[in-house]
């Protein structure tokens, strides 16, 4: 992979979809404003011109309807990519995702499957208040039959999305409005990243920090700040939250003996809860401190920027959590 170039997160997603649509004529994109408007976040810019209105399809504001059309299309041999303008709106279609796409393989005794991708932004994105700032990764990860992928950078986004489009199961692919303009190195050559494989973004020896999605920026920034105080953090990007790569997390914890999990979602029944349980169950004798979590405060996200800052995981709270598991002030 020598021919690297720097592109935006949105461009990496566009390349992934376009390459898969050229490779497989069964793949199509459907959602609000994906065609004529070039995508609400310009992810699908130019795709209507290349693939036409039969494969890049604008829909009414009716998530339940077009998600259901996508499930039916997948059951009948196509490979839909269903874009939600935000996963907050996926709640309108959650019956189709949970009760149809996720369960049809099991309920039909293997006669039908729904190989498809539901994708769009998750979590907070500036001053959008409570109804447009929610994280549902743990909700969807709770459901058997789904895979849930949350990339943190353009390179991972492209390689993972291509794998998701080819996968035989329905996949929830969650992005962030605040990441679409992020730039990163992406190879010109084709590549795939396996679903369910975490990545050690920064090696370290004193404490393990686990995160995923855009909150990886917080985890990495905290690790960089702590390095100045001679605290070495190993930072792991889960990339996939169903299935979770427990092996990589456990190997790291057995080396560092301490764990902090940073996640944007609410604390109750979160991905960080699950990781904390798994680590104490499978690596209890290696832990030199209780597992710490840094999550969103347990309130609907406020509108005021000062309250948003107080609610979301940040570098200051992460640094404090790391020092607490090291018993440092």
């Amino acid at each position: 992979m020598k021919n690297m170039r720097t592109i935006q997160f949105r461009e990496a997603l566009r390349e992934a979809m376009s390459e898969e649509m050229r490779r497989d004529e069964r793949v199509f994109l459907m959602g609000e404003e994906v065609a004529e408007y070039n995508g609400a976040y310009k992810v699908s810019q130019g795709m209507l011109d290349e693939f036409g209105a039969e494969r890049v399809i604008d829909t009414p504001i009716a998530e339940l309807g077009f998600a259901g059309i996508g499930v039916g299309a997948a059951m009948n041999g196509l490979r839909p990519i269903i874009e939600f303008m935000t996963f907050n709106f996926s709640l309108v279609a959650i019956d189709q995702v949970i009760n149809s796409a996720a369960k049809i393989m099991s309920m039909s005794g293997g006669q039908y499957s729904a190989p498809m991708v539901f994708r769009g932004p998750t979590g907070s994105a500036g001053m959008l208040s409570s109804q447009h700032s929610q994280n549902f990764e743990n909700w969807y990860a709770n459901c058997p039959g789904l895979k849930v992928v949350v990339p943190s950078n353009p390179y991972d986004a492209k390689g993972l999305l291509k794998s998701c489009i080819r996968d035989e199961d329905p996949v929830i692919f969650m992005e962030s409005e605040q990441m679409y303009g992020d730039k990163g190195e992406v190879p010109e050559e084709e590549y795939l990243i396996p679903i369910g494989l975490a990545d050690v973004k920064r090696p370290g020896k004193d404490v393990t920090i686990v995160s995923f999605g855009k909150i990886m920026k917080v985890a990495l920034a905290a690790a960089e700040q702590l390095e100045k105080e001679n605290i070495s953090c190993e930072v792991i990007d889960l990339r996939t939250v169903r299935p979770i790569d427990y092996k990589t997390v456990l190997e790291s914890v057995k080396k560092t003996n301490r764990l902090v999990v940073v996640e944007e979602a609410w604390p109750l029944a979160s991905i960080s809860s699950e990781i904390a349980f798994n680590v104490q169950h499978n690596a209890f004798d290696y832990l030199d401190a209780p597992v710490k979590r840094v999550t969103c405060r347990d309130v609907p996200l406020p509108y005021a920027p000062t309250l948003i800052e107080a609610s979301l995981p940040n570098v200051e709270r992460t640094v404090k959590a790391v020092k607490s598991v090291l018993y440092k002030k």
Side-chain angles (χ1 to χ4, degrees), residues 169-244:
D169 293 315
V171 183
I172 308 293
F173 191 93
M174 295 175 142
E175 305 146 15
S176 168
E177 291 171 55
Q178 294 181 327
M179 286 168 48
Y180 285 126
D182 288 1
K183 294 182 178 181
E185 287 193 335
V186 176
E188 290 182 359
E189 299 90 347
E190 181 176 65
Y191 67 99
L192 299 171
I193 295 175
I195 297 171
L197 188 64
D199 188 34
V200 178
K201 298 296 188 191
R202 181 183 180 121
K205 59 182 176 58
D206 294 329
V207 60
T208 300
I209 302 177
V210 173
S211 190
F212 57 91
K214 77 169 181 287
I215 300 300
M216 276 298 298
K217 295 179 184 180
V218 170
L220 288 166
E224 190 170 332
Q225 182 172 317
L226 287 158
E227 188 71 33
K228 297 173 184 175
E229 301 181 44
N230 295 317
I231 297 172
S232 173
C233 299
E234 180 146 294
V235 184
I236 296 175
D237 184 350
L238 288 179
R239 301 197 291 198
T240 301
V241 298
R242 187 181 182 108
I244 294 174

Side-chain angles (χ1 to χ4, degrees), residues 11 15 29 42 49 78 83 88 91 159 227 232 239 262:
E11 294 175 293
E15 285 189 359
L29 174 65
K42 299 301 176 272
D49 294 336
L78 299 180
E83 178 178 314
N88 295 277
L91 297 190
E227 188 71 33
S232 173
R239 301 197 291 198
V262 190

Side-chain angles (χ1 to χ4, degrees), residues 19 73 75 101 157 285 287:
E19 287 175 14
M75 289 172 61
D285 291 340
L287 287 171

Side-chain angles (χ1 to χ4, degrees), residues 29-326:
L29 174 65
M30 175 184 283
E32 296 155 357
E33 299 183 351
V34 299
E36 295 288 346
Y37 191 65
N38 287 307
Y41 312 104
K42 299 301 176 272
V43 173
S44 54
Q45 189 166 18
M47 291 180 64
L48 174 63
D49 294 336
E50 178 175 356
F51 299 105
E54 289 189 355
R55 297 186 68 194
V56 181
I57 304 167
D58 275 332
T59 68
I61 302 175
E63 287 80 9
L64 174 63
F66 64 77
I69 290 170
V71 174
M75 289 172 61
N76 282 279
L78 299 180
R79 288 184 172 262
I81 304 167
I82 301 300
E83 178 178 314
F84 294 124
M85 195 177 290
T86 152
F87 265 96
N88 295 277
F89 302 162
S90 75
L91 297 190
V92 182
I94 200 167
D95 180 63
Q96 294 291 351
V97 179
I98 299 295
N99 280 330
S100 296
K103 295 187 174 76
I104 194 62
M105 171 72 83
S106 174
M107 291 176 64
S108 69
Q111 295 179 82
Y112 287 100
S113 61
M116 62 190 301
V117 176
F118 298 96
R119 52 156 292 269
T122 184
S124 63
M127 297 165 62
L128 297 180
S129 195
S130 305
Q131 293 180 339
H132 293 68
S133 304
Q134 301 167 103
N135 290 76
F136 298 120
E137 295 93 317
N138 53 323
W139 290 33
Y140 286 114
N142 183 253
C143 181
L146 295 177
K147 293 173 181 173
V148 184
V149 177
V150 195
S152 68
N153 61 80
Y155 175 85
D156 289 352
K158 181 176 180 181
L160 284 165
L161 183 53
K162 286 172 70 71
S163 293
C164 293
I165 294 169
R166 298 185 190 188
D167 201 81
E168 296 302 320
D169 293 315
V171 183
I172 308 293
F173 191 93
M174 295 175 142
E175 305 146 15
S176 168
E177 291 171 55
Q178 294 181 327
M179 286 168 48
Y180 285 126
D182 288 1
K183 294 182 178 181
E185 287 193 335
V186 176
E188 290 182 359
E189 299 90 347
E190 181 176 65
Y191 67 99
L192 299 171
I193 295 175
I195 297 171
L197 188 64
D199 188 34
V200 178
K201 298 296 188 191
R202 181 183 180 121
K205 59 182 176 58
D206 294 329
V207 60
T208 300
I209 302 177
V210 173
S211 190
F212 57 91
K214 77 169 181 287
I215 300 300
M216 276 298 298
K217 295 179 184 180
V218 170
L220 288 166
E224 190 170 332
Q225 182 172 317
L226 287 158
E227 188 71 33
K228 297 173 184 175
E229 301 181 44
N230 295 317
I231 297 172
S232 173
C233 299
E234 180 146 294
V235 184
I236 296 175
D237 184 350
L238 288 179
R239 301 197 291 198
T240 301
V241 298
R242 187 181 182 108
I244 294 174
D245 181 3
Y246 291 116
K247 181 182 177 183
T248 296
V249 175
L250 289 168
E251 285 175 355
S252 178
V253 170
K254 288 177 181 180
K255 177 176 67 173
T256 66
N257 310 117
R258 293 168 170 86
L259 174 63
V260 173
V261 190
V262 190
E263 178 183 11
E264 189 178 352
W266 294 309
L268 183 66
S270 61
I271 298 297
S272 54
S273 307
E274 184 63 27
I275 292 169
F277 164 77
N278 189 278
V279 168
Q280 68 83 24
H281 183 71
N282 292 299
F284 182 81
D285 291 340
Y286 292 88
L287 287 171
D288 288 341
V291 176
K292 284 280 186 178
R293 300 187 301 151
V294 182
T295 67
C296 187
R297 303 297 187 188
D298 202 14
V299 295
L301 196 73
Y303 176 75
T306 49
L307 295 177
I308 292 173
E309 173 64 20
S311 296
L312 293 176
N314 57 32
V315 173
E316 181 183 359
R317 290 174 59 199
T318 304
V319 166
K320 184 178 179 182
V322 169
K323 288 183 177 180
S324 73
V325 299
L326 290 164

